[in-house]
Amino acid sequence: MITRRTLLGSAALLTAGAALPGASKVWAQPKKFEIVMCAKQEGISWFDDMRTGVEDFAKDFGVNAYQIAPETGDPAKQAQMVESLIAKNVDAILVVPNDPKSMEPVLQKAKDAGIVIVSHEAKSLAGTADYDVEAFKNEDFGALMFDKLAKAMNGEGKFVAIVGALTMETHMQWFNAGMEHIKADYPDMEFVLSEPIEDNNDEKTALDKVNEVLKRYPDLKGIVGCSVSGTSMAALAVEKLRRKDIAVVGLGLPSINGPYLEDGYQNVALCWRPADAGYASAFVAYKLLNGETVEAGMDLKRPGYDSVTIEDGVVYGDATLILTAENWKNYKF
């Protein structure tokens, strides 16, 4: 069956003028695909780096690929932006949703309109999106993150955790997997809250809440951050108190968390390269637009995505980065 995607993927079509008597043959240029990343939020270093990957893909493959995002991490605003992309009739939408569940109806609408959908940090959308692209299995990443915290705390003491929001699927997958790991392997560690702290990916909110919890629990021994804002502001709060006895571990970027690692106010940062995730997601969309299959073992042209695995519509790389005081300067993002 001929679909919009196979038509878009055609190498060239005769223009109408070429069919007129006496007219010379004029071949139309292949369509320049419009591939748009709708990220969680503007003004965050993480997604600034992701934008560079999307733009690099545009240069490498000659497509119109770019990134948009709401000014705040508002799921409703993000859904409105996707609605506008549907109205614009773009070829592919890449999305890192603030709330995957609330995003599902509008993504289904886009898919029904023939738009290719590739999600990131949203494994649960695999049935709605054509594919979800992940840097790793989130359960493994969460267990690793919390294990790094446990080792920095010598396996004992009180700790808290920070997420961007309780609705952020990836953050909660890390948190839940990490807590299971702690309960199974570190019985002398105590999570002192009923749920993780929400910082809305906002540094001021994160700093205020970390300062509050440090006052409430002066004997706190560890903080694990599932957001860059949470991790970096935890390190800043600990630095201001000169409390190197409090372990800080979590999601981080070399450009933001590196100085805290260097000065000993953060023990370990874990991440993946946002630019590479954006590039890999765009590559998957590009393959689909060209009518090609996405297969296990394929190379998405970025480190850690050179031989992907695929399970139930989720494309997994092996792109975890562990940053320490010794190696963070090796990474330029």
Side-chain angles (χ1 to χ4, degrees):
M1 182 177 71
I2 296 176
T3 67
R4 177 170 178 261
R5 296 181 191 186
T6 55
L7 286 173
L8 289 173
S10 298
L13 295 171
L14 276 172
T15 62
L20 297 175
S24 60
K25 289 184 178 180
V26 180
W27 292 91
Q29 292 296 315
K31 177 177 173 62
K32 189 172 185 178
F33 296 127
E34 186 171 5
I35 300 172
V36 188
M37 168 65 80
C38 188
K40 287 183 180 179
Q41 187 174 338
E42 287 288 2
I44 295 178
S45 297
W46 188 272
F47 294 110
D48 289 344
D49 188 66
M50 180 169 282
R51 177 178 279 107
T52 67
V54 174
E55 292 175 349
D56 284 347
F57 183 85
K59 295 173 187 174
D60 290 349
F61 287 86
V63 299
N64 180 20
Y66 57 93
Q67 179 171 299
I68 61 174
E71 292 184 2
T72 63
D74 181 358
K77 178 62 176 176
Q78 192 179 31
Q80 290 173 9
M81 298 183 88
V82 172
E83 285 278 10
S84 70
L85 295 175
I86 297 171
K88 193 177 179 183
N89 199 32
V90 301
D91 299 306
I93 297 173
L94 319 175
V95 62
V96 190
N98 285 293
D99 181 359
K101 186 175 181 181
S102 68
M103 186 65 72
E104 190 169 353
V106 71
L107 292 179
Q108 185 61 57
K109 181 179 178 180
K111 190 175 182 181
D112 291 344
I115 298 172
V116 168
I117 306 296
V118 177
S119 60
H120 176 59
E121 293 192 45
K123 180 180 174 182
S124 66
L125 287 177
T128 302
D130 291 279
Y131 283 98
D132 178 67
V133 175
E134 299 295 335
F136 37 66
K137 291 190 175 181
N138 286 324
E139 294 77 13
D140 295 342
F141 188 77
L144 176 63
M145 180 186 291
F146 278 61
D147 192 74
K148 294 293 184 183
L149 176 72
K151 286 182 168 54
M153 292 174 60
N154 295 317
E156 60 183 14
K158 298 177 179 178
F159 73 101
V160 297
I162 307 168
V163 298
L166 299 178
T167 58
M168 290 185 179
E169 179 180 306
T170 299
H171 290 193
M172 293 307 296
Q173 286 175 335
W174 299 341
F175 172 77
N176 290 328
M179 287 299 296
E180 288 182 12
H181 181 64
I182 295 298
K183 290 175 183 177
D185 291 0
Y186 297 97
D188 294 329
M189 290 178 61
E190 178 188 356
F191 184 69
V192 297
L193 303 176
S194 59
E195 61 185 16
I197 298 165
E198 292 182 282
D199 70 7
N200 300 314
N201 284 333
D202 179 77
E203 290 184 348
K204 185 179 184 305
T205 300
L207 183 59
D208 289 345
K209 291 189 174 184
V210 170
N211 283 333
E212 181 182 331
V213 83
L214 287 172
K215 290 178 181 177
R216 191 188 314 167
Y217 301 101
D219 56 345
L220 197 71
K221 293 299 180 184
I223 304 172
V224 59
C226 295
S227 65
V228 175
S229 48
T231 307
S232 58
M233 291 302 98
L236 176 60
V238 167
E239 180 184 36
K240 287 183 175 180
L241 296 173
R242 298 293 187 264
R243 291 283 306 273
K244 289 187 177 181
D245 60 304
I246 300 175
V248 176
V249 170
L251 192 69
L253 289 173
S255 57
I256 294 176
N257 300 81
Y260 297 120
L261 292 166
E262 185 83 11
D263 294 339
Y265 291 104
Q266 182 170 342
N267 302 76
V268 176
L270 298 92
C271 67
W272 66 102
R273 179 79 196 269
D276 291 343
Y279 193 106
S281 298
F283 191 84
V284 169
Y286 183 74
K287 295 287 263 187
L288 295 174
L289 287 169
N290 280 295
E292 300 177 43
T293 58
V294 177
E295 300 175 333
M298 72 182 296
D299 182 1
L300 301 185
K301 310 302 181 184
R302 277 298 178 264
Y305 300 88
D306 50 353
S307 182
V308 298
T309 59
I310 301 177
E311 296 178 18
D312 300 322
V314 183
V315 179
Y316 292 106
D318 183 15
T320 302
L321 299 176
I322 300 174
L323 310 178
T324 65
E326 293 73 31
N327 73 359
W328 72 270
K329 290 183 180 178
N330 296 335
Y331 301 99
K332 307 301 180 183
F333 65 96

